[in-house]
Amino acid sequence: MSEKRKNKKKWVTYIVFTILLVMIVLCCFSICRKQRETGNVINVILNEDGADREKLETDIITLYPSGSDEYILKITCKVSGRYALTFAFTAESTPPLAEQVSVEIVGETSETSGNLGTLLQGETLAMEENFTRSSKTELKVKYTMSKDVGNEGKGAKIDFDLVLTAQKVG
């Protein structure tokens, strides 16, 4: 085999190897991104009778002063209509930093908000939202820590459950 042919074969091998390496890196990046996007999505199905109560486990992993974390509730409804939604927050004990966290729930036509510390003591959030049969309606649940929290708030982890109750009202 000639020297020219060997060099050409060598370069083709390098190019193919580089292309494969780039494809593998892009696939890994795509998979990681997809997992990050779907990691904070909770799917909920409203029953035909119009009433539903579902306990949604919530785990805020990384909250920092002025930082936030959010979840998307994708709600699929079996019967179209207007629903009254009630959000109750429960925990075995109220974490001290809960008073420094605000909760905001935003739907397509309404929103509600409150203080997590107060909510963990029994207060609930309520809102009404329209749902169309079989289509997914998204509600964004956002948790934001106050900027006034000191070093104790860095990387704070607060475990609690969110209980969603839906009742058809129209």
Side-chain angles (χ1 to χ4, degrees):
M1 209 185 286
S2 73
E3 189 65 35
K4 228 179 180 181
R5 200 166 203 199
K6 284 182 184 180
N7 283 338
K8 185 177 180 181
K9 191 174 181 180
K10 189 176 178 182
W11 278 106
V12 169
T13 304
Y14 286 141
I15 291 171
V16 169
F17 179 75
T18 303
I19 290 171
L20 286 173
L21 186 62
V22 168
M23 288 176 58
I24 290 170
V25 169
L26 289 175
C27 285
C28 290
F29 177 74
S30 176
I31 290 169
C32 289
R33 183 175 175 205
K34 185 70 174 172
Q35 284 180 339
R36 190 172 357 129
E37 288 174 358
T38 59
N40 288 345
V41 174
I42 301 170
N43 291 300
V44 178
I45 298 176
L46 297 184
N47 295 320
E48 290 180 28
D49 63 2
D52 194 19
R53 180 178 167 90
E54 187 155 346
K55 183 177 179 180
L56 310 169
E57 291 184 14
T58 305
D59 183 19
I60 300 176
I61 302 169
T62 52
L63 271 184
Y64 294 90
S66 297
S68 65
D69 199 357
E70 65 183 45
Y71 291 83
I72 302 294
L73 300 178
K74 288 190 176 184
I75 301 177
T76 304
C77 187
K78 293 186 177 180
V79 178
S80 296
R82 187 150 186 86
Y83 285 78
L85 305 174
T86 304
F87 300 89
F89 296 78
T90 61
E92 290 181 17
S93 63
T94 303
L97 291 175
E99 291 292 330
Q100 301 296 322
V101 177
S102 63
V103 179
E104 181 181 16
I105 302 172
V106 180
E108 292 180 3
T109 60
S110 60
E111 63 182 69
T112 184
S113 62
N115 177 276
L116 183 59
T118 306
L119 295 168
L120 287 173
Q121 293 173 7
E123 193 175 300
T124 60
L125 295 177
M127 63 191 288
E128 288 190 8
E129 194 70 35
N130 291 317
F131 294 99
T132 305
R133 184 177 185 272
S134 298
S135 67
K136 289 187 178 180
T137 301
E138 290 187 3
L139 301 178
K140 180 170 67 169
V141 183
K142 185 175 182 179
Y143 304 96
T144 305
M145 183 175 280
S146 170
K147 65 180 178 179
D148 299 329
V149 177
N151 286 336
E152 71 274 9
K154 290 184 179 175
K157 183 175 180 178
I158 303 173
D159 291 320
F160 58 91
D161 293 324
L162 171 59
V163 179
L164 167 62
T165 305
Q167 181 67 46
K168 192 167 192 266
V169 293

